[in-house]
Every structure is written in structure tokens, then in C-alpha cells.
């Protein structure tokens, strides 16, 4: 028979998968001798069994829970349900992976009409007892009984107004007892049953409610956003209550051992006197800085600071600590690795390594690729400070502009439609998660740096400004205002999560400033990684930016973008309209100098590094206006009696556009097929590349390394024809210029047949570059635009697909084609260079696959180059770690990456 329940003394930090993060860390703190209220943990396996068994608690589990409860009663010297001195407990969720605020908690469990009175008598504090009771009824009713929170909050506000209390803390014992009675009546009226009075029944109902919260909407959304598996389950921690609401020497707070926004080695904490934990996290009251505790309870403050340092040293990471003070005695209710912004994640990792607490390899592992993306957020350029309408706390950095919405449902609706929105609320709650996901940023009028909005925004890399007390929000009216300005739903605002500013309208953005720690971390990554990292860039400006971010060349330069300029497009259209080869060659001769200058700019910017230039890929009709637009314009010209020559050219355009139109352009006359049928097009492009190379060499620019890539090849004969064309043009340019240069020709693998016959293609290619965007479309038979617009979201929501295959490489399908091409290609040509230039080249999980598959480099957009450098290093470290585990106890083998200490 399995064991379902563990007391804290039976667990430790290594048991997160079984006890959840909260339970395992409470057990670890207890093992360290820290002041932790006693308790026990119901395992994550019980949660999974609960759903497997039809949402029913099995009898063996019930028995173990009651046995553990009896032992807890013995430890505490109090019994649950005792009328004279009752034991109260908290019932809290806790998965193996932190999901802050997404699942449910019940505090003060064990109270009923008799035990509330007994608590009042045993403590001599009726106000405290009935404050706990009204809190418990409201929380239990919402979490366990499923009643809405609004009516309970309304009763509280009514009683506060009637009694003249400005805050909850000013309510007297009789008023609190009256509120509790009103809550009980509300439960009877709304729920159709009396509030449960048996504390054991309360406990078992609460355990079930926490299990059920594993599949509540906000938890499901959070797991989907953060890619947390559904099959982990949540543990349930049952713990003796300690009370922060027992007067002026009591309170509750949250502490970060390092600043969660900047990463600086300073404690950031918040504290509320005479309060319980949910008051801080919910943001319903704005807390005080924890330093204030040093004035009010100096000995407790010193103990708190010493314990915080101890926990950080023990866990070797910045910690997020929840604590409660009951009548001058400190207790710890949770510690976990702190959520942090991107900048903080990098600084904390670097600092911990430089302090000797972790290794450099561990520092690389502590920074997620998403953190690097967050560092590349742009900031604000604000020239008119009069547009600043309010300031709050800078809870999560980055700038965001969007339309104001006040409800999470509306944020979700508009966000899914592609509209940029800012979610504006008095405070956010876990139930707002679906709206937060779709919002560009979050603005609240209440809460502190450790409130729900701040923690979730930092974890998701979204800008947030919280505790903006100058802002009054009327959710019902859909309006917010300050002393000077009123804002209605739909108005455009900008928030700056770095400064806390709220600004009317849209504001210009500035490129990110990358600090020392960012460069240091990426330098460590470069010492480790095996995969090269290139960039996809089409202009000299993109190329220069790529180098700033550490790109080691260009893996994809798309030549078609050069034809879309105001100067190039008319010449391209003239070439398309040509009636024969001679006319087409004349138009191409005029395009040649433009292409040559474009290539010179890019090759110069990347001197010393390879530049892979893809010859023309899209179908020719993409350079012409659409048929419907041409038809309408022609009719208008004729009706106006326009210039006959202009009308004639319009008719030619329309005729050609109709002739080039295709039922399925993605599978049509494009890529290498254009080069085979119209070789003069590819010959012009190759000549422009090689003439640019020769001119740069003559100018004294060294290290010019063009690579010519033939797109959409499925047949070896296609590639053989075009390889010979390119090499012939190269020989002609070398002969006419007197300059010798290397000629490198390769192909994109983006057609499944190309992957399956890679051995044949390798006879004519010195490199393969996987075009995984088209390869994914052709493998699935999906049109990307149609799939993403019409059904892919349904597939993802209903788990038909685990991920969007255009965002994360499909290893089981597309990945197998990549592996086949790698094996066949290298068997035919052992020195074959292999890369990937689709969007997957910048996606961290996909990069891990490409590392394992044996590719030489990835190529991605310039702004994802730093992400790819980190992901490639982590892939190398994962491989070394796996090999180390396999070899444990045997001699070490040589690794392909350079060692990192």
C-alpha cells in the first residue's frame, strides 16, 4: 500500500515532485530548525488519483489524513473542533512547479459558531476571533462551495460604511460577529444549505477543493502559457494556523532576498500589520516596506534578515519568503525561488557565480531564454512630461501601449482579435489570468511589489505598474480618473514598468540598453556552446544589428525584399511583363546594379563572416498588385478617360497577374523552378553577388564570404542545373575582374522529397539549410495562414497538438525528416555543413533538437540571436549533464564544448 500523507519531518527539498514545492520547502525549513508551524502534506499522486477515481477521495486517504490530523493535534496540544481552545489549520495548494496564486487556499479552517466563541474566550480577544471567522466563511464559501466573492465583499463594505470604519482593522468585535452572521445567511440563501459546522467535514471538503483547483481555468491557462504539464498534480499542505491579525505586534509579509526587478543584492519586502497573508498578495491593501518592521519590532526584523540570508545561502538562489508574526513571534510559511524580471535573472545569476555560490554552468542554467527576450524590450522616449497622468510602483519593466480595458474577459476577446490592450484593474486576482495573458501590460490602483499583478507580470515578462493610488477606477462605469484626467475604455495609454509612469497616448520607444551582466552571461555561453548562431538579415542595418547581438554570420539573406523598394519594384514588374527572353534580360540588366549595391552593403557589414544569400524564392505574382485591385483601378481609369498609355500598361499588368495567378502558390511556380525555367533571373542574381564580392576585394575589404543558396529543391537534377549555372557565372566574373574568390553553393531543405533524397542533393551542395517554415507546411499539409486563422487555436486548446508546429519544431514528424537529411547528406558528403534558417532557429526547445541532431548552426532574426546563444549553451550543458549521468562512476569523456567552471 502506498503512502499518501507525509509529515514535515518526513520530507525535504528533494521531494518536490511528491510533496509539491510548498510542502517540500516547508519540510526543508523545518529540517533546518527554522520556526515553521507544524503540518503535513497530501501528495501530488493523491491529486492524480482523485481525478482518476471520478473526483472522489478514497477511504485509505481519508484514514491517513485523519491519522495525520490526530498527530498534529497532539503536537499542538489543541484539537480541531474543540469548543474551548480549538486548533485551526490552513489548507494550501502546491505543485512541483511554482504556480503563484493559480490554485486555491483556505485559511482559518476549523471555525464554526462554537469554536469561534471558544477562540474568543481562550485568546481573550473577541475581535481577533470573529475577524478570523468572517474571513474563513468568505474564503471557504468562494473556494469550496463555489459562491461568488462579490456579495461577501459588499456586506463587508456596507458594515464598514455603517460603522464609520475606514479600514478592516477598525471594525469592532460586535460588527465582525454581525458580518459573520450575515455571511452565514448569505450562504444559506445563495447556496441552499447551511454552512458546514463539522471541522473534519470542512477539512475533507477543502482538500477536495484544492485538488479541483488544479483544473480551474486560471491554472490551466497558466500551465499552457508556461508549458507546465497537466499530469503533475498538486499536493495539499495542511498546517497549523499562526495569526498575523492578533493586534499591533502581529502581521504578515513577503520578502525577496534580492530585488526581483533589478537583481541588486538588496532585500525587498512588504509588510502589513494586524493582517493575514491574503491581504498582502491580493493587493487589497497597500503594504509598508519591510524596513518599517525594524522600527516596530527590531528583534523580529533582525531575525527575519538573518533567516533570509540563511535561506538564500542554503538554496543557492534568491528566495521569495512568506512570513507571519504572531504576537512578536516570527514564523515562516513558505520559501521558493523568487520570480524575477529578465534583467534581475541575469544579474542574480552573474552575481551568484561571481560570489562563488554557484558555478558559471549553473548560472547559464538559471537564466531562461525567455529572460533574454525580456531584456530586449524597448524603453520609452518621453519628450513631453505633461502627458504623464499618474505614477505607481514599477513592478515589472518594459513599456507597453494599448487600449484601456477594465475586464479580463474583454482583454481576452480584444487580444485574441489582435488588438493591443492594457488591462486596468483596482487589483488583479488569479481569475484574471486569461486577460493578463492577452494584455500588453497591467495597471492597478492598489497593491505593492509583491501583489498578484506584480508577481505574475514579472513571471511572464509583461510590463506592469501597480499601486497607482492617484488613479480611481470604476469598473461598472468602465472609467478611470485622476484629479486632472478621465480615461474611458478604449482610450490609448502607455505604461512604463521601469519608472512606474502612466502616460496618455502612444510614446516613441528606444532600443534596449544591454548592461555588463548581459554581455558577461553571453560570453560564458559562447565558451560552452557547440552550435554556431547566425542571423536572418536582408539589409546592412539588420546585419550590423545582428553583429551587435553576437551573430557569427548571416544564415538567410532574402533577395526578394530588395526588389520591393520604390526603385526596384517598377523594374521587377517590367521584367515580369516582358514578352520574351530578350526583354526580360534588358530589365534584369537594369536590376543588376541595384542588386550588386545591396549585396555589397551586406557583405561589407559582415566582412569576416559567412553570408548565405537565397536566390529568388516567391512566385512572380507577389510583385504585382492583386487582380481585384487591378480590375477596380482599370475600370476607374477607363471611366475617367485616363491616359491611353497608362490604361494599356494597366491592362498588361492585369493580363499578366491573371496569367500568373495560382490555385496554391506555395506549391506552384516559385523557388528553383523559376531558376530552371528562367535561368537568366538566377544568373543575374549570381552575377550581382560575385561582382559585389570582387569589387569589395579590390577595395581592400577582407573576409568576404558569400554562400549561394538555391531554394525549394526537391530533385537532384534541379540542383545540378542551377549549381552549374552559379559556378559558370562565378568563373565569368573571376575572369573579367581578375579576382579569385571561393564559390560555395548549397540548398534549402524545405520539401520533404529533398529531405528523403538528401544523399543525392549532397552531390551538388556544400551545405544544407533547413527551411523549417515551408518544411512544416508541406509535412503537415497545412497552409500556415489558414491553419492559424481557422483551426490551429482549437487544436492547441483541445490538445490535438501539444504546440503550434510553426513556433516549436515538430520533432516526431518534421524532426524525423531533418534527421534523415542529416544522416543521408553527411553519408554522401562527410564535410557537409548543416544549418537551419526557419523561425525555429530562434526557438529554445527547437534549438535543443537541432543541437542533438548534429547541425552546425542555427539562424534566426537579429533580436533572437542572444536567445539562441543561450539556448545553444544550455543544450550543450544538458548533453554534458546527460552523458555525465550515464558515465557516473566511469572515467569522463571529452566534450565538444569548451569547459566552463
Amino acid at each position: 500500500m502506498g503512502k499518501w500523507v507525509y509529515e514535515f519531518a518526513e520530507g525535504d527539498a528533494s521531494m518536490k515532485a511528491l510533496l509539491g514545492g510548498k510542502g517540500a520547502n516547508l519540510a526543508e525549513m523545518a529540517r533546518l530548525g527554522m520556526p515553521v508551524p507544524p503540518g503535513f502534506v497530501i501528495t501530488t499522486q493523491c491529486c492524480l488519483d482523485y481525478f482518476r477515481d471520478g473526483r472522489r477521495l478514497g477511504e485509505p486517504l481519508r484514514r491517513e489524513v485523519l491519522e495525520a490530523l490526530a498527530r498534529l493535534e497532539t503536537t499542538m496540544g489543541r484539537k480541531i473542533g474543540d469548543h474551548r481552545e480549538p486548533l485551526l489549520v490552513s489548507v494550501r495548494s502546491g505543485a512541483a512547479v511554482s504556480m503563484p496564486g493559480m490554485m486555491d487556499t483556505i485559511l482559518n479552517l476549523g471555525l464554526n459558531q462554537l469554536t469561534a466563541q471558544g477562540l474568543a474566550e481562550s485568546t481573550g480577544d473577541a475581535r481577533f476571533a470573529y475577524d478570523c471567522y468572517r474571513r474563513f466563511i468568505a474564503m471557504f464559501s468562494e473556494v469550496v462551495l463555489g459562491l461568488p466573492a462579490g456579495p461577501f465583499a459588499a456586506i463587508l463594505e456596507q458594515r464598514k460604511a455603517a460603522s464609520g470604519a475606514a479600514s478592516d482593522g477598525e471594525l469592532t468585535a460586535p460588527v465582525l460577529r454581525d458580518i459573520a452572521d450575515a455571511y452565514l445567511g448569505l450562504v444559506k440563501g445563495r447556496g441552499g444549505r447551511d454552512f458546514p459546522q463539522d471541522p473534519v467535514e470542512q477539512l475533507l471538503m477543502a482538500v477536495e477543493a484544492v485538488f479541483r483547483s488544479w483544473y480551474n481555468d486560471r491554472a490551466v491557462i497558466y500551465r499552457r502559457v508556461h508549458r507546465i504539464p497537466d499530469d503533475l498534480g498538486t499536493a495539499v499542505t495542511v498546517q497549523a494556523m499562526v495569526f498575523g491579525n492578533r493586534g499591533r505586534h502581529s502581521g504578515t509579509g513577503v520578502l525577496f532576498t534580492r530585488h526581483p526587478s533589478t537583481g541588486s543584492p538588496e532585500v525587498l519586502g512588504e509588510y502589513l500589520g494586524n493582517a493575514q497573508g491574503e491581504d498582502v498578495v491580493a493587493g487589497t491593501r497597500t503594504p509598508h516596506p519591510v524596513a518599517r518592521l525594524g522600527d516596530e519590532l527590531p528583534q523580529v526584523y533582525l531575525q527575519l534578515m538573518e533567516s533570509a540570508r540563511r535561506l538564500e545561502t542554503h538554496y543557492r538562489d534568491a528566495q521569495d519568503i512568506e512570513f507571519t508574526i504572531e504576537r512578536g513571534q516570527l514564523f515562516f510559511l513558505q520559501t521558493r525561488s523568487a520570480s524575477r524580471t529578465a534583467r534581475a535573472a541575469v544579474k542574480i545569476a552573474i552575481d551568484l557565480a561571481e560570489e562563488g555560490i554557484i558555478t558559471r554552468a549553473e548560472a547559464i542554467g538559471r537564466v531562461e531564454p525567455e529572460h533574454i527576450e525580456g531584456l530586449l524590450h524597448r524603453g520609452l522616449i518621453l519628450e513631453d512630461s505633461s502627458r504623464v497622468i499618474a505614477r505607481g510602483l514599477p513592478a515589472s519593466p518594459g513599456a507597453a501601449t494599448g487600449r484601456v480595458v477594465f475586464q479580463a474577459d474583454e482583454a481576452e476577446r480584444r487580444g485574441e482579435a489582435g488588438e493591443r490592450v492594457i488591462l486596468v484593474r483596482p487589483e488583479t486576482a488569479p481569475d484574471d489570468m486569461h486577460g493578463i495573458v492577452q494584455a500588453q501590460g497591467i495597471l492597478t490602483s492598489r497593491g505593492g511589489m509583491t501583489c498578484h499583478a506584480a508577481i505574475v507580470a514579472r513571471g511572464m515578462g509583461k510590463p506592469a505598474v501597480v499601486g497607482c493610488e492617484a488613479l480611481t477606477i470604476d469598473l461598472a462605469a468602465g472609467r478611470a480618473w485622476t484629479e486632472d484626467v478621465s480615461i474611458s475604455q478604449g482610450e490609448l495609454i502607455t505604461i512604463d514598468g521601469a519608472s512606474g509612469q502612466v502616460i496618455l497616448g502612444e510614446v516613441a520607444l528606444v532600443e534596449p540598453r544591454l548592461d555588463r551582466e548581459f554581455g558577461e552571461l553571453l560570453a560564458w555561453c559562447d565558451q560552452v556552446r557547440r552550435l554556431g548562431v547566425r542571423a536572418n538579415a536582408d539589409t546592412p542595418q539588420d546585419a550590423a544589428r545582428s553583429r551587435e547581438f553576437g551573430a557569427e554570420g548571416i544564415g538567410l539573406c532574402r533577395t526578394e525584399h530588395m526588389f520591393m523598394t520604390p526603385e526596384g519594384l517598377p523594374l521587377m514588374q517590367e521584367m515580369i511583363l516582358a514578352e520574351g527572353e530578350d526583354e526580360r534580360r534588358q530589365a534584369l540588366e537594369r536590376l543588376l546594379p541595384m542588386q550588386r549595391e545591396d549585396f555589397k552593403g551586406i557583405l561589407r557589414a559582415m566582412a569576416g563572416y559567412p553570408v548565405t544569400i537565397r536566390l529568388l524564392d516567391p512566385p512572380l505574382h507577389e510583385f504585382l498588385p492583386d487582380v481585384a485591385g487591378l480590375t477596380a483601378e482599370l475600370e476607374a481609369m477607363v471611366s475617367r478617360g485616363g491616359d491611353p498609355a497608362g490604361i494599356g500598361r494597366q491592362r498588361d499588368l492585369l493580363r499578366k497577374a491573371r496569367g500568373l495567378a495560382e490555385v496554391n502558390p506555395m506549391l506552384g511556380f516559385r523557388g528553383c523552378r523559376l531558376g530552371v525555367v528562367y535561368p537568366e533571373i538566377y544568373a543575374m542574381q549570381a552575377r550581382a553577388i560575385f561582382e559585389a564580392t570582387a569589387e569589395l576585394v579590390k577595395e581592400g575589404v577582407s573576409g568576404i564570404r558569400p554562400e549561394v543558396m538555391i531554394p525549394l529543391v526537391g530533385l537532384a537534377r534541379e540542383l545540378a542545373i542551377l549549381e552549374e549555372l552559379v559556378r559558370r557565372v562565378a568563373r565569368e566574373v573571376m575572369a573579367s575582374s581578375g579576382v579569385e574568390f571561393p564559390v560555395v553553393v548549397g540548398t534549402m531543405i524545405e520539401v520533404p522529397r529533398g529531405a528523403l533524397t538528401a544523399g543525392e542533393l549532397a552531390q551538388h551542395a556544400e551545405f544544407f539549410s533547413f527551411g523549417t517554415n515551408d518544411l512544416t507546411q508541406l509535412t503537415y499539409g497545412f497552409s500556415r495562414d489558414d491553419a492559424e486563422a481557422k483551426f490551429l487555436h482549437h487544436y492547441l486548446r483541445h490538445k490535438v497538438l501539444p504546440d503550434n508546429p510553426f513556433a516549436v519544431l515538430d520533432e516526431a514528424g518534421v524532426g524525423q525528416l531533418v534527421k534523415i537529411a542529416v544522416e543521408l547528406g553527411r553519408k554522401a558528403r562527410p564535410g557537409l555543413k548543416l544549418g537551419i534558417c526557419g523561425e525555429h532557429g530562434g526557438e529554445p526547445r527547437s534549438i535543443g533538437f537541432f543541437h542533438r541532431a548534429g547541425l552546425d548552426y542555427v539562424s534566426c532574426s537579429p533580436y533572437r540571436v542572444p536567445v539562441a546563444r543561450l539556448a545553444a549553451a544550455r543544450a550543450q550543458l544538458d548533453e554534458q549533464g546527460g552523458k555525465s549521468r550515464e558515465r557516473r562512476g566511469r572515467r569522463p569523456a571529452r566534450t565538444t564544448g569548451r569547459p566552463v567552471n
Side-chain angles (χ1 to χ4, degrees), residues 345-355 358 363 367 516-518 520-522 524:
V346 172
K347 180 166 178 56
I348 289 170
I350 292 291
D351 285 353
L352 289 174
E354 291 181 343
E355 291 165 19
I358 61 176
V367 179
R516 179 192 73 83
E517 287 85 4
F518 179 84
E520 188 80 8
L521 180 79
L522 291 180
W524 294 353

Side-chain angles (χ1 to χ4, degrees), residues 129-170:
Y130 286 103
D131 185 44
C132 292
Y133 192 27
R134 63 93 184 171
R135 288 172 182 269
F136 170 58
I137 298 169
M139 187 175 283
F140 190 94
S141 299
E142 180 185 358
V143 170
V144 182
L145 303 182
L147 299 180
F152 293 94
I155 290 172
L156 178 64
E157 293 304 316
Q158 290 166 2
R159 297 302 196 275
K160 280 164 63 176
S163 63
S167 68
D168 297 0
E170 295 178 16

Side-chain angles (χ1 to χ4, degrees), residues 367-702:
V367 179
E368 298 295 330
E370 291 81 3
H371 288 141
I372 295 294
E373 287 187 72
L375 276 178
L376 302 177
H377 287 320
R378 292 180 290 177
L380 295 181
I381 302 175
L382 184 62
E383 297 177 351
D384 181 7
S385 60
S386 67
R387 293 170 60 191
V388 177
I389 59 171
R391 284 180 172 83
L393 298 174
S396 185
T401 298
R403 303 283 175 185
V404 170
V405 295
F406 295 99
Q407 302 293 343
D409 290 346
E410 182 71 4
E412 181 182 45
R413 184 185 68 79
R414 292 193 181 201
E416 286 181 342
E419 188 174 352
R420 295 181 303 161
V421 298
I422 304 292
L423 181 60
V424 180
R425 305 277 296 167
E427 70 271 337
T428 63
D431 286 338
D432 295 322
M433 188 66 196
H434 58 299
I436 293 171
V437 168
Q438 294 296 334
Q440 301 296 307
I442 306 164
L443 171 62
T444 72
S445 59
R446 297 200 287 260
M449 294 290 285
T450 58
C451 70
H452 175 268
I455 291 171
V456 171
R458 283 194 293 268
M460 297 179 69
K462 288 183 184 286
V465 175
V466 304
C468 187
E469 295 180 343
L471 193 67
T472 302
I473 300 171
D474 186 338
L475 295 177
R479 192 170 73 90
W481 64 91
T482 66
E483 284 188 8
D484 305 313
V485 178
S486 177
I487 306 167
S488 298
Q489 178 150 301
E491 287 194 46
L492 202 64
I493 66 168
T494 297
I495 62 170
D496 183 5
S499 68
Q501 292 178 323
V502 182
I503 304 152
L504 272 183
E506 191 160 7
V507 180
L509 299 178
V510 64
E511 295 301 325
R513 177 187 57 81
L514 304 178
D515 52 25
R516 179 192 73 83
E517 287 85 4
F518 179 84
E520 188 80 8
L521 180 79
L522 291 180
W524 294 353
C525 291
D526 294 342
Q527 294 172 16
V528 174
R529 62 184 170 86
R530 178 189 62 76
L531 272 177
V533 178
R534 300 188 189 182
N536 301 340
D538 305 327
T539 67
Q541 294 77 19
D542 286 345
R545 191 63 171 161
S546 302
R547 283 294 305 126
E548 291 175 15
F549 285 137
E552 299 158 328
I554 291 177
L556 175 62
C557 174
R558 291 158 286 218
T559 55
E560 59 268 14
H561 290 182
M562 301 171 180
F563 297 133
M564 301 302 289
T565 64
E567 299 81 15
L569 187 57
L571 291 175
M572 190 65 179
Q573 291 176 346
E574 183 180 329
M575 187 273 292
I576 294 169
L577 292 173
E579 292 297 335
E581 184 178 333
D582 288 342
E583 281 189 29
R584 192 158 45 250
R585 286 184 180 278
Q586 291 173 20
L588 289 168
E589 282 298 317
R590 287 192 288 276
L591 279 168
L592 173 62
M594 298 175 61
Q595 282 261 279
R596 184 172 57 233
E597 289 306 308
D598 286 332
F599 292 141
K600 278 185 73 175
I602 290 176
L603 289 167
R604 188 193 306 273
M606 296 300 284
Y609 297 93
V611 177
T612 303
I613 301 171
R614 182 181 71 186
L615 301 186
L616 188 66
D617 182 43
L620 295 179
H621 74 82
E622 289 194 7
F623 298 97
L624 301 177
D626 67 273
V627 170
L630 282 170
T631 302
E633 191 174 341
L634 177 60
E635 291 172 354
M637 292 171 72
V638 171
S639 67
R640 291 195 307 266
D643 174 53
I647 290 174
R649 185 176 186 280
Q650 191 75 5
R651 284 200 172 106
D652 287 342
L653 272 174
L654 178 58
R655 176 179 52 81
K656 198 69 173 183
R658 283 174 173 161
L660 290 172
E662 296 178 290
V663 174
N664 191 338
M666 188 190 77
L667 301 179
F669 190 27
R670 54 170 287 218
C672 69
R673 301 155 197 169
L674 288 169
V676 171
V677 176
Y678 299 136
E680 57 272 20
I681 296 177
Y682 274 20
M684 180 278 289
Q685 292 195 292
R687 186 171 300 279
I689 293 168
F690 297 134
E691 287 182 356
T693 300
E695 289 183 13
L696 287 169
V697 171
K698 286 183 175 181
E699 292 172 13
V701 182
S702 61

